[in-house]
Amino acid sequence: MTAIAGVIGENVPELEHCCSEILQSLSCYGASSARLLTLTGAAFGCALHEQLPEDAFGRQPVLGGDRFLLVADVRLDNREELGPALGLDGARLASLSDADFLLECWMRWQEACLDRILGDFAFAVWDAREHRLTLVRDPTGQRPLFFAMSGTDVAFASMPAALLGWPRLRAAFNFERLATMLIGAIDLTSATYFSGISRVPPGHLVAIEAGRVSERCYWVPTTEPLRLSDSEFVEAYHEHLDRAVLSRLRRASGGVAVHLSSGYDSSAVAAAATRLSGESKPVAFTAAPRAGFSGPVPRNRIADESRLAAETAKFLGIEHVVVRPDSGILEPLRRHARLYQEPDRNVINMEWWTAIHSAARESGISTLLVAQLGNLTLHAGGLPTLAEWLRQGALLDWWAEARAARRSGRTRWRGILINSFDGFLGPRITGFIDQRFLGVPPDEQSYVRREWLERIRGRSRSSARDLLRGSPAERRLTLIRAQDIGVFRKGALGESGVDERDPTADRRVIEISLRLPPEQLLHRGEWRPLARRALAGRLPRSILDLNERGYQGADWFERISKAEAQALLEEIAGSSAATELLDLQRMRAAIDSWPSAGAADFRRQILYRTRLLAALSTGVFLQEFESSMAGA
C-alpha cells in the first residue's frame, strides 16, 4: 500500500505545489520520501510504503513515453501470467515494480487491461495526448481513491481529507450521506462524507476530460451457476482459496499473521496460509473479552472464541496469541477520525481490531491476513439460499430444504420464512419484520435530527430494497460492492504499519463463489456443504460442526462508563456541525438511561452498541474536521 495524489490543470508550478501539499497530508500512509513528476497539464506524486519485493525497483510516478503518466497504490497478483503477453522475459519481469508492470499493461491494452489484471489497486493515468484523466479501483475497493473538481481542474488522493487543502475546493460536510450511514442504509453512489469530494466506487473506472465525468462499472461477474460434480467443486474451492492466499503472502519483509476466530472464514485462511508459508509459519491472533467474562450474550452466539481458535491453532501447529483489550473504548475515537477520515460505524469492533494490529506490530508482523468477505463468497450459504429455489419456481425443492433446515434444529420457521421471502417483499413489510423480529432499531433511533431523516428516509429505504432484489448471488454481489473497505485498510496501515489483506476478497474467489449452485450452499439441512467437504481434514471437527457464531466485544459495556459518554457528548455539543446533524437531546436522554452492566436486553444493547456509539463517533468526526471545513 502507498499514498498517491495528483492535480490536473494549466499552471505547472501551481500544480506541483498543490500536489506536494496534498501528498504531505498523506505522509502517515507512505513511509518513503514523496516523489513528484509532471507531464503536460498534470502533476502526480507518490510516497511509497515498501511491502513487496519488487518495491525496491519502484520509481513512482512513472512515465510511458511522452503520453502517459501513471501513479498507483497496487499489488498485482498475476504478473507471471501476463508477462509473456507483454513480451517480458523472466529477468525483465523480476526488475519491474508492480506500478511499472501496470504501466506496461496500460500502454498495451489501456482500459481493456482491467479485464486482465488481478490484485488490490487504486491508480490514476493521465493521457497527455487526449487530455484525459482515468481513475480506477479494484473490484472490492481494497485500496481507496478520491477526487474533487473545479471547472476543468481535478485533484485526486488516496484519502479524502487530503483534498480539503486544495485551494480550488469549497468543501462542506455531506450531511445526507452521514445520515444515510447512521440509519444503516446501503449507498453505492460516489458520494462521500465531504461535499465536493467524490470516491471512485469499487470495481469502477472514472474518466475525466475537459470537466466532463463519465463513470462505468468494469467488473460485472456472471452469476450463472456452474455445473460440476461434488469432487470438482471441492477441487475448485481448494485451487481458488490457495491461490488467493499464496498471492497475499508475497511481501518484502516481516512476518505473517492471521486473524483467527471460530468461524469457517478465518480458519480456512489460516489453514491455507500455514500450508503455503513454508518454514515461516503464520501467527494467529484472536480477540476475546476479559478472562472470566460471563456476561449475557445473544442466543446462538459465542462471547469468547479463544478456546475454539486455540484448537484450530494447535491442529495447524501455529503460534496462537489471545488479545484481550482492556482500554477505554471511547478514547481512540479522535485518533481514528483523523486516520480513517470517516466515523467509526462499528466502534466496538474497531476497538478490538485495533488491539490485534497493535499486538501484531509488536510481534514484528508486516502482513495480516483477514477474511472479511468470506460469508459473502466461499462460505456463503445457509438460510438465504432458500430464496433461490423460490426464484426458480422449484417449490417442492424449497419445501424439502425448508423442512430439512427446521429439522436441523438450527433455526425456527420464522427465520426460514424471513430468509425465503425477504427479497420479494416491499420496504414497508421488510421494515416491520426487521424491527419486530430481528431487533433492527427504527430510523428514529439513529439519533439523526428529524429534518435529515425526513429528507433521506423514503429514498434510502426504497433504494436499498431495490438494490437487494434478484437472486441470492446477485444480492451478495451488491453487498460485496457496498463494503468499500479501502479507507479502513489505509487507516490501519497508517496506525500500525501492518498491511491487511483479504484472500476472500480475491476477484477469482468471488467470481466462482457467485456461481455456486444452491445445493452447494444448503443441502438437506446442512449449512455450507461444499465448505464442509473442502475443509474436512484441514480444520478440527469442532470448527466444522460449530453451529454458533462469535459475538465480538461482548464485554464492551464494562469499558464504557456513563460519565465518559456524557463528557464526550458535551464536547461534541460544541460543534455546530454536530448540532446540525445529530439529535443531541435524544442522545443525552439515552446516556442518562445507560443500561446496567450485564443487562440481558439485547435489543437495547444493539441500540447502544451500534446506533448511539456510531452517533458519538460521527460527532467526533465532525468536530475533528470542522476547522478544515472552515478553511477549505
Side-chain angles (χ1 to χ4, degrees):
M1 214 178 259
T2 194
I4 62 174
V7 183
I8 306 300
E10 297 298 329
N11 188 322
V12 173
E14 180 185 8
L15 296 182
E16 291 182 325
H17 174 74
C18 288
C19 186
S20 177
E21 291 291 313
I22 293 171
L23 199 57
Q24 179 60 36
S25 67
L26 294 168
S27 59
C28 69
Y29 310 106
S32 67
S33 300
R35 184 171 184 264
L36 270 67
L37 198 62
T38 61
L39 179 66
T40 312
F44 281 12
C46 169
L48 183 67
H49 188 106
E50 290 193 14
Q51 296 162 315
L52 305 172
E54 296 80 10
D55 284 342
F57 305 109
R59 302 180 306 277
Q60 289 200 69
V62 289
L63 280 170
D66 59 357
R67 179 178 179 183
F68 295 116
L69 177 63
L70 178 144
V71 68
D73 179 9
V74 57
R75 189 201 69 249
L76 291 180
D77 294 338
N78 60 335
R79 291 162 50 105
E80 288 74 16
E81 298 171 28
L82 295 179
L86 293 168
L88 301 174
D89 60 26
R92 173 64 175 153
L93 183 62
S95 68
L96 292 178
S97 71
D98 279 9
D100 290 305
F101 189 90
L102 179 58
L103 179 61
E104 295 281 343
C105 293
W106 189 268
M107 289 193 297
R108 173 66 63 87
W109 299 300
Q110 294 192 41
E111 291 184 12
C113 78
L114 300 176
D115 295 326
R116 297 172 178 261
I117 61 173
L118 299 168
D120 299 341
F121 52 80
F123 67 90
V125 181
W126 171 244
D127 186 333
R129 182 187 303 172
E130 303 294 335
H131 295 278
R132 180 172 60 246
L133 174 68
T134 303
L135 306 171
V136 184
R137 288 181 71 197
D138 65 74
T140 58
Q142 300 295 306
R143 307 288 173 98
L145 189 58
F146 299 86
F147 68 96
M149 297 181 62
S150 177
T152 59
D153 293 348
V154 187
F156 67 85
S158 292
M159 294 292 275
L163 297 172
L164 296 177
W166 186 40
R168 303 296 179 88
L169 178 66
R170 296 294 176 261
F173 288 116
N174 185 341
F175 290 120
E176 287 195 28
R177 178 68 184 88
L178 285 160
T180 300
M181 176 273 293
L182 285 170
I183 67 171
I186 293 174
D187 191 321
L188 297 181
T189 70
S190 59
T192 72
Y193 301 123
F194 300 101
S195 178
I197 299 175
S198 301
R199 65 172 181 146
V200 179
H204 280 64
L205 175 150
V206 172
I208 304 174
E209 190 172 358
R212 296 185 300 274
V213 181
S214 62
E215 177 185 303
R216 72 175 179 90
C217 179
Y218 68 83
W219 182 60
V220 187
T222 180
T223 58
E224 183 67 25
L226 288 169
R227 296 302 172 193
L228 304 173
S229 67
D230 283 353
S231 61
E232 288 172 329
F233 272 119
V234 168
E235 183 179 343
Y237 175 105
H238 289 158
E239 176 189 349
H240 283 75
L241 179 61
D242 288 355
R243 183 171 53 191
V245 169
L246 184 61
S247 67
R248 283 156 180 80
L249 292 174
R250 175 172 151 245
R251 63 197 186 281
S253 61
V256 172
V258 293
H259 167 237
L260 183 61
S261 68
S262 62
Y264 277 33
D265 306 322
S266 62
S267 301
V269 168
T274 300
R275 194 175 59 260
L276 298 170
S277 292
E279 297 299 320
S280 302
K281 300 299 182 187
V283 179
F285 288 87
T286 302
R290 64 167 174 81
F293 174 78
S294 59
V297 295
R299 179 175 173 267
N300 294 327
R301 304 295 287 272
I302 305 170
D304 190 337
E305 300 177 84
S306 62
R307 179 186 61 80
L308 287 164
E311 290 185 25
T312 299
K314 182 179 180 180
F315 182 89
L316 299 175
I318 59 177
E319 181 183 353
H320 184 226
V321 178
V322 180
V323 177
R324 300 184 186 274
D326 57 6
S327 59
I329 289 175
L330 299 180
E331 183 274 329
L333 289 182
R334 295 197 183 282
R335 183 176 75 254
H336 285 175
R338 293 189 296 271
L339 280 169
Y340 297 83
Q341 301 182 9
E342 65 175 27
D344 283 355
R345 287 169 283 183
N346 192 326
V347 174
I348 304 302
N349 283 358
M350 178 67 85
E351 189 261 352
W352 59 258
W353 199 268
T354 300
I356 284 181
H357 275 263
S358 177
R361 179 192 62 223
E362 292 171 4
S363 299
I365 300 300
S366 65
T367 303
L368 176 66
L369 300 186
V370 299
Q372 287 170 291
L373 287 186
N375 281 327
L376 294 172
T377 57
L378 279 179
H379 303 131
L383 294 183
T385 311
L386 290 168
E388 179 61 18
W389 283 288
L390 288 178
R391 196 183 71 88
Q392 295 176 2
L395 298 182
L396 292 179
D397 289 336
W398 172 81
W399 176 241
E401 293 294 342
R403 289 181 62 196
R406 181 65 188 93
R407 286 197 300 268
S408 72
R410 296 183 61 176
T411 187
R412 294 175 283 186
W413 276 111
R414 185 174 73 194
I416 290 169
L417 295 175
I418 289 174
N419 280 278
S420 296
F421 293 98
D422 179 66
F424 301 96
L425 305 175
R428 186 180 298 274
I429 296 175
T430 52
F432 171 78
I433 291 172
D434 287 346
Q435 294 169 33
R436 175 65 180 82
F437 299 110
L438 304 181
V440 177
D443 293 349
E444 288 77 6
Q445 293 181 332
S446 62
Y447 304 104
V448 174
R449 286 173 60 100
R450 184 165 296 278
E451 52 265 39
W452 290 108
L453 281 180
E454 293 297 330
R455 192 175 299 188
I456 68 170
R457 177 185 282 127
R459 182 174 67 253
S460 63
R461 287 301 186 200
S462 298
S463 62
R465 286 300 163 188
D466 290 340
L467 288 169
L468 290 175
R469 294 194 182 279
S471 69
E474 290 167 338
R475 298 180 74 183
R476 296 206 316 272
L477 179 58
T478 296
L479 292 173
I480 287 169
R481 286 177 167 148
Q483 300 294 309
D484 198 355
I485 201 73
V487 294
F488 187 83
R489 299 276 187 257
K490 189 69 72 179
L493 178 71
E495 184 166 30
S496 67
V498 176
D499 186 17
E500 200 171 77
R501 304 175 183 178
D502 187 354
T504 63
D506 186 276
R507 174 173 175 167
R508 291 167 291 193
V509 165
I510 296 174
E511 288 174 349
I512 191 172
S513 301
L514 295 175
R515 301 189 66 189
L516 295 176
E519 62 271 15
Q520 297 297 329
L521 305 175
L522 179 68
H523 185 64
R524 298 296 185 259
E526 182 182 32
W527 267 243
R528 300 175 291 188
L530 167 58
R532 283 177 59 84
R533 294 195 311 273
L535 295 172
R538 294 192 173 197
L539 293 176
R541 178 56 58 181
S542 57
I543 299 298
L544 297 179
D545 293 341
L546 188 66
N547 292 331
E548 296 86 8
R549 293 165 51 210
Y551 185 64
Q552 289 92 354
D555 61 344
W556 68 274
F557 50 81
E558 297 182 351
R559 288 179 289 113
I560 301 179
S561 71
K562 178 178 176 178
E564 286 177 304
Q566 287 173 329
L568 182 59
L569 181 59
E570 293 314 310
E571 289 184 41
I572 291 169
S575 162
S576 60
T579 302
E580 182 173 347
L581 175 67
L582 301 173
D583 190 333
L584 301 180
Q585 184 175 349
R586 290 191 61 251
M587 292 174 69
R588 284 193 185 93
I591 293 173
D592 287 341
S593 303
W594 196 265
S596 59
D601 182 351
F602 293 112
R603 292 193 180 214
R604 198 165 180 225
Q605 277 206 26
I606 290 173
L607 181 62
Y608 277 83
R609 73 175 270 160
T610 57
R611 291 292 176 88
L612 181 59
L613 292 184
L616 286 171
S617 172
T618 299
V620 170
F621 166 80
L622 292 169
Q623 192 176 39
E624 283 296 305
F625 286 101
E626 196 161 25
S627 60
S628 300
M629 293 293 101

